[in-house]
Amino acid sequence: MSMKLAKYASPITILLVENEDIEAQLIIDAVKNERIREGIQWVSTRQQALDYLNTKGQYSDAVRPDLIILDMNLPNMDGRELLETIKSNIKRSEEHTSELQSQSTI
């Protein structure tokens, strides 16, 4: 039902913070609605995420995301630490975030 409603809503921009290529592609593929899929911006590191959110460097023209999907198992910085950094930035306090945590078990 939400996918049908999304067809009539305005397109949204999603920032995906995921360091694993396969998992990022699964998420991108799962978002089938064209109006959303075109708005997924993928970064793979904590620093890229911060640069994107603060429109620095190569992300100087970045569009403010409506939703952030955040991998909680990022290397070099726990996803929770990054989430706290994002939340503490008043400029970004209105973003909606979704925590993502996967574990592979073989």
Side-chain angles (χ1 to χ4, degrees):
M1 180 161 169
S2 62
M3 290 302 278
K4 287 184 181 181
L5 293 175
K7 288 182 181 181
Y8 302 103
S10 298
I12 65 170
T13 299
I14 298 172
L15 175 60
L16 172 60
V17 184
E18 171 57 64
N19 65 302
E20 296 292 334
D21 293 352
I22 293 172
E23 291 181 18
Q25 194 57 54
L26 285 171
I27 294 165
I28 292 167
D29 289 346
V31 182
K32 299 290 186 194
N33 185 300
E34 191 67 26
R35 299 182 87 175
I36 295 173
R37 189 178 69 220
E38 292 299 313
I40 293 181
Q41 303 300 316
W42 172 34
V43 297
S44 59
T45 69
R46 158 201 155 296
Q47 189 58 54
Q48 288 174 333
L50 293 173
D51 288 351
Y52 183 97
L53 292 170
N54 292 304
T55 57
K56 291 184 178 178
Q58 71 183 42
Y59 305 105
S60 61
D61 295 330
V63 175
R64 180 182 170 149
D66 300 294
L67 173 69
I68 300 169
I69 301 175
L70 174 59
D71 179 358
M72 299 308 285
N73 294 317
L74 290 170
N76 302 324
M77 178 185 241
D78 183 87
R80 285 169 191 75
E81 291 177 60
L82 179 55
L83 181 59
E84 288 306 313
T85 302
I86 293 168
K87 285 182 175 183
S88 69
N89 186 339
I90 296 171
K91 202 166 92 174
R92 298 283 167 206
S93 64
E94 296 177 13
E95 254 103 30
H96 302 283
T97 58
S98 175
E99 298 173 13
L100 175 64
Q101 189 168 10
S102 66
Q103 301 267 331
S104 61
T105 55
I106 298 178

